[in-house]
Amino acid sequence: MNDVLKISVVIACLNAEKTIERTLRSIAEQQYRNLEVIVVDGLSRDNTLDIVRQYGHIVSKIISEKDRNVAEAINKGFRRSTGEIYCYLNADDCFTPGALHRIAGEFMAFPNIDVLTGGCLRVFADGSSKTTQVPKHFERLIALRDTIEQPSTFWRSSIHHKAGELD
């Protein structure tokens, strides 16, 4: 397993029984062997946790307790993460096929990169979709507007610890 970077995926959820399985299935379909999936549930009152437990073959840790907000839930997950690469998904986000292998390959090929972000396929409730792209001059624009797509952004754990938790 040393030839593949360990990726930690944190999923924050609350009453997500309608979408969490799709999210977990997209992770399982990655067939990425050095993976840590941490689900942080804010005490769901539906079948969310039952569905999560069905994915015990990929879910490493389940934290089920009250939290103040999504940022606190995600921080709880990252505090328990042991991977070299971090990302988080909301309970209705999915990875495209092969995403984790591609991300790991890029981080291994370019060891000086701390953050990797890309376009994102957004699928809407009406069935329509749109693929976003990282804008030209991204580095200059980031101070002016948030153009980072969270489901398609990954970063090294070392930079996470330097930057600190989400607020």
Side-chain angles (χ1 to χ4, degrees):
M1 280 199 193
N2 291 337
D3 61 328
V4 179
L5 297 173
K6 185 175 187 178
I7 298 176
S8 294
V9 179
V10 172
I11 304 169
C13 61
L14 177 64
N15 298 324
E17 69 181 3
K18 292 180 181 174
T19 58
I20 191 76
E21 185 165 20
R22 185 183 63 203
T23 300
L24 292 168
R25 191 175 32 242
S26 82
I27 296 169
E29 290 171 354
Q30 296 293 309
Q31 296 183 355
Y32 190 84
R33 68 179 184 214
N34 202 3
L35 182 64
E36 176 179 58
V37 177
I38 300 173
V39 176
V40 185
D41 176 79
L43 294 180
S44 290
R45 294 181 182 178
D46 62 5
N47 292 318
T48 299
L49 284 174
D50 294 332
I51 295 166
V52 169
R53 288 184 187 104
Q54 292 174 16
Y55 284 81
H57 59 291
I58 63 160
V59 175
S60 310
K61 297 172 186 146
I62 300 172
I63 302 164
S64 183
E65 59 191 28
K66 185 125 178 77
D67 49 61
R68 291 185 311 270
N69 53 44
V70 174
E72 182 185 28
I74 293 166
N75 288 332
K76 286 179 189 180
F78 285 137
R79 281 184 216 126
R80 291 167 177 83
S81 296
T82 62
E84 298 159 87
I85 305 301
Y86 283 4
C87 69
Y88 75 89
L89 295 178
N90 294 310
D92 62 349
D93 294 334
C94 296
F95 287 134
T96 57
L100 296 182
H101 289 282
R102 173 105 188 256
I103 292 300
E106 293 296 317
F107 274 108
M108 289 190 306
F110 300 96
N112 293 331
I113 290 177
D114 288 322
V115 178
L116 188 59
T117 191
C120 183
L121 173 62
R122 295 196 163 271
V123 180
F124 303 99
D126 67 1
S128 65
S129 65
K130 176 185 177 184
T131 301
T132 63
Q133 300 296 325
V134 177
K136 290 183 180 185
H137 312 294
F138 169 76
E139 295 87 357
R140 191 170 28 129
L141 291 174
I142 193 64
L144 304 173
R145 62 183 172 150
D146 180 8
T147 54
I148 292 177
E149 295 281 4
Q150 151 269 321
S152 58
T153 301
F154 298 77
W155 59 97
R156 293 189 189 275
S157 59
S158 57
I159 202 74
H160 182 90
H161 296 297
K162 285 181 186 176
E165 295 187 333
L166 302 176
D167 61 14

